[in-house]
Structure formats: C-alpha cells, structure tokens
Amino acid sequence: MKYSMQTITILFTLAILSGCADTAAPYTAQSQSRDLLDLDSDGVINARDLCKQTLHGAKIDNSGCANPLNQVQEKTKVIMFDFDSHKLSLESEAQVATLLKKLIKLPAAKLLLIGDTSPEGSESYNHKLAQQRVDTIHNIAKRVGFPTQDIITQTFDQKDRTDTSISGREHRLIAVGQWQESGAEMMWTIFTSEQKSR
C-alpha cells in the first residue's frame, strides 16, 4: 500500500499530538496567605505595610511609611517705631511679647533682629538709633523668657547682615522668627497649591 507524502505527514503529526494530549486536573483554589487589605488607605497592602497607621495624605515610601519632614520655617514681622524713637507703645510691646511667647514654644526657635531707620540723619546717628531699636525688642524677648543665645542682632547697615533680600529703608525693625518643623511630608493637592498662592 502506497501512501502519499502528505498522508504520511498528517499521520506523523497526529501521532505526535496524541502523545502530548493530557487531561488537565481540575483547578483547586489556593488559600490566600497574604493580607491584601489596606486598612490605612495609603496604597500599600497590609502584608507589606510597615507603618500601619500612616497619616492621611502623607507622602509614603514603598513600605507604607511617611516621608519625614524636617525643615526650617521662617516668619518675618516688621515692627514700626515712631519717627526718631526707639520706644514702643504699651500696646505694641504687648503684641511683640505675645508673638515671642508663641515663638518660644516652637522647636529649635531662633530670633533674628535687624534694626533699621529712615534715611534722615547721619550714618552714625542712624546706626545708634537702629541698635537702640534692636535692644528694645531684645529686652522684651528676655523679659518673656526667650533664650538670649538664640537671639541674633544686627543693624541694617552692617555688611554681614544675614538676609540680603530685605531691602528698603522704610522699615523700622525687622524681626525674623525661625523654627524647626518636623512631621510627615504631605502629598500635593489642589488645596496645598491654593495656600501657596495666597
């Protein structure tokens, strides 16, 4: 009996395929051994989450822990003295004292005082008046208990002044409060963007 080459190829292919055919065993459900829930809603499943109670809205790492925030914050306050005077009214003194009491409570608080004057008067006179204005605020700070080692004093005409971005002679005294802020770095939202633009 003669077989054509095409018939032999078909029979050979069927023989090979029949040898590979196997009935698959039915799938058995595997029990889930990992906790796939995300109880603190930070985007990291409980099985991988090393920080189980992440602050809502914090930037997190792959382990579900918030990125730490450790930066210096700064607030500037201009204190106006009367023309040719280094004394403050009782009301202004009370306001300055209140601000300094708040600053003391902040971590690693520092106070920079930059005395200034209007342009009238000689350079030596203005320097002396600027220093007297600095001394006035320095004394209020000491009175409320601000640590004197954390107070930096300068007059505006000093060449080594800290903040060169403060310009203009219309100010009477510039007080810059600095403190350390720590916590969790927060994610960007439309609301944080609005706060920066205000």
Side-chain angles (χ1 to χ4, degrees):
M1 181 191 259
K2 287 185 176 180
Y3 294 103
S4 70
M5 193 61 162
Q6 186 178 8
T7 308
I8 293 171
T9 305
I10 292 170
L11 290 172
F12 182 70
T13 304
L14 288 172
I16 290 174
L17 289 175
S18 66
C20 295
D22 192 11
T23 306
Y27 175 78
T28 55
Q30 302 291 317
S31 61
Q32 182 54 261
S33 61
R34 293 174 62 86
D35 186 356
L36 300 180
L37 295 175
D38 180 14
L39 293 178
D40 59 358
S41 301
D42 62 0
V44 177
I45 61 170
N46 293 343
R48 283 194 308 113
D49 203 337
L50 299 181
C51 300
K52 302 293 185 197
Q53 295 184 351
T54 309
L55 180 66
H56 182 69
K59 280 188 181 178
I60 57 161
D61 59 18
N62 288 337
S63 301
C65 297
N67 294 343
L69 174 72
N70 207 359
Q71 62 186 21
V72 174
Q73 296 292 332
E74 195 173 88
K75 187 116 179 158
T76 302
K77 169 76 175 157
V78 176
I79 301 167
M80 301 299 285
F81 286 84
D82 287 336
F83 180 75
D84 198 26
S85 173
H86 64 277
K87 297 191 184 304
L88 288 174
S89 67
L90 291 176
E91 183 183 350
S92 295
E93 273 195 39
Q95 288 174 350
V96 170
T98 301
L99 290 172
L100 292 171
K101 285 175 186 172
K102 288 179 182 174
L103 183 59
I104 291 172
K105 294 176 183 171
L106 298 171
K110 295 197 178 313
L111 178 64
L112 168 62
L113 301 174
I114 306 170
D116 194 13
T117 63
S118 55
E120 297 84 4
S122 68
E123 193 171 322
S124 62
Y125 181 83
N126 284 342
H127 177 78
K128 182 180 174 188
L129 180 59
Q131 187 60 54
Q132 288 172 326
R133 289 173 172 171
V134 165
D135 293 341
T136 297
I137 306 302
H138 192 281
N139 290 335
I140 296 170
K142 280 199 315 191
R143 196 167 63 235
V144 299
F146 201 96
T148 54
Q149 70 272 14
D150 294 327
I151 302 174
I152 302 161
T153 62
Q154 298 176 351
T155 54
F156 198 81
D157 57 322
Q158 281 180 247
K159 289 184 172 58
D160 63 342
R161 66 181 183 270
T162 300
D163 197 340
T164 55
S165 66
I166 299 170
S167 60
R169 300 297 298 245
E170 73 277 7
H171 297 146
R172 298 294 189 246
L173 183 132
I174 299 142
V176 182
Q178 292 181 337
W179 66 94
Q180 195 77 26
E181 194 162 280
S182 57
E185 187 181 358
M186 301 305 281
M187 287 189 287
W188 179 90
T189 67
I190 189 169
F191 302 109
T192 55
S193 179
E194 281 180 354
Q195 286 168 3
K196 285 180 184 174
S197 64
R198 286 181 187 171

